[in-house]
Amino acid sequence: MRVFVTGATGLIGSAVVAELLGNGHTVLALARSDASALAAEAAGAEPLRGALTDLDVLRAGAARADGVVHLAFGNDFSSPEALAKNVAEESAALAALGDELVGSERPFVTVSGTPHAPGRVSTEADPLPTDGPVGGRSRAVMAVLDLAARGVRSTAVRLPRTVHNQGAGGFAGLLTDIARRTGVSGYPGDGTQRWPAVHALDAAVLFRLALEGADAGTVWHAVADEGDQVRDIAAVIGRRLGLPVEPVPSQTYGPIGPIFASDQPSSSAHTRQRLGWEPKHPSLLEDLENIQP
């Protein structure tokens, strides 16, 4: 299968590209810079120059492919306005990709976060929240899933708050970055809230499985660790960096502070049973031991 991948050179995207190539697929990779294009070529993919905002380029990429995996998302979480801009750009991109695929029965795999289910572990049956800082992203993903009624084999892989590799990535990676900058390995609230996690290489396998065989309109959870307490995550970061571990205000984390402060464990039992997905790589707490002082 020839697969058009957005976000192909990021932490998750590079793992997905390697997984696809290693299983007989070819990859057309969206590349927004010369450096990204070179990285895509070095990985064995064909680069297609353009950004997530270049809707004509996205349509052209989808037209040239047997399937699409969308992973790109802006990395600016500095303000509510920046986050809203990220969401708006992705929503427009998903709509453009979806329009190109209508009636083709080709697979379209997009991505979201795992949902928050107050008082319990969330499952694949739980809906995504349509309010809050990333509510617009949830609505865009739901629109992609609705394309199942218009001849698109659309599916969504829900990623946990931390997708990691070699100690980097996700919410835990942000905790590490902030710890380096502030001199404190902090956590919001009392730190007992739980965050799910998955190794990027395990997540990549699930993206491939969804692309190859998931039914239209389905959602899947790429969750290996159901929920690590944030203070345990902060403790490993603090030990690796030689920094004190302390509670800090949720405002430390900007517009996503409320998400950081919430308890959000998640299950992948249905995904494992139906798709035969089985994580094999190190857990988050094990992988954080790779953080360099």
Side-chain angles (χ1 to χ4, degrees):
M1 191 183 300
R2 181 176 176 83
V3 187
F4 180 42
V5 180
T6 71
T9 57
L11 182 141
I12 303 169
S14 58
V16 170
V17 168
E19 176 69 19
L20 293 173
L21 294 173
N23 284 272
H25 301 289
T26 59
V27 173
L28 178 65
L30 184 69
R32 62 181 177 179
S33 67
D34 290 341
S36 292
L38 289 172
E41 282 187 320
E46 177 189 348
L48 177 65
R49 284 300 304 270
L52 199 60
T53 52
D54 297 325
L55 302 185
D56 288 341
V57 174
L58 297 182
R59 295 186 189 98
R64 295 173 55 189
D66 302 308
V68 174
V69 175
H70 166 72
L71 296 165
F73 190 73
N75 291 320
D76 187 353
F77 302 104
S78 61
S79 68
E81 293 76 19
L83 185 57
K85 181 174 180 288
N86 293 342
V87 171
E89 288 179 353
E90 183 188 44
S91 298
L94 288 173
L97 290 166
D99 286 345
E100 185 61 40
L101 295 172
V102 165
S104 69
E105 302 299 336
R106 285 176 284 171
F108 182 13
V109 185
T110 190
V111 64
S112 75
T114 51
H116 174 215
R120 61 177 175 82
V121 175
S122 72
T123 73
E124 295 87 343
D126 287 309
L128 295 174
T130 55
D131 55 1
V134 293
R137 192 178 198 198
S138 300
R139 292 190 292 272
V141 170
M142 292 166 62
V144 170
L145 294 174
D146 287 344
L147 292 172
R150 301 178 63 198
V152 181
R153 188 160 63 80
S154 55
T155 63
V157 172
R158 295 172 171 179
L159 293 173
R161 299 301 178 256
T162 295
V163 182
H164 56 92
N165 193 354
Q166 292 297 304
F171 276 14
L174 289 175
L175 289 182
T176 303
D177 293 342
I178 293 171
R180 292 186 190 277
R181 190 168 65 247
T182 64
V184 173
S185 181
Y187 54 86
D190 64 5
T192 60
Q193 66 269 38
R194 293 160 292 171
W195 292 353
V198 67
H199 197 286
L201 297 179
D202 287 321
V205 174
L206 182 54
F207 276 99
R208 176 180 60 79
L209 292 173
L211 177 81
E212 292 174 343
D215 291 336
T218 54
V219 300
W220 309 98
H221 278 194
V223 174
D225 308 343
E226 192 170 277
D228 295 308
Q229 289 195 347
V230 178
R231 65 186 180 192
D232 292 337
I233 297 171
V236 178
I237 294 170
R239 177 167 50 76
R240 294 297 301 166
L241 298 180
L243 297 174
V245 180
E246 301 173 1
V248 297
S250 61
Q251 296 92 315
T252 303
Y253 308 104
I256 56 176
I259 302 175
F260 266 54
S262 66
D263 184 51
Q264 47 199 287
S266 189
S267 166
S268 60
H270 173 75
T271 296
R272 297 183 193 216
Q273 179 183 10
R274 292 296 299 273
L275 291 185
W277 178 67
E278 191 61 44
K280 299 177 180 178
H281 290 85
S283 69
L284 173 59
L285 296 181
E286 291 170 337
D287 198 23
L288 289 174
E289 297 293 345
N290 289 299
I291 294 175
Q292 297 301 309

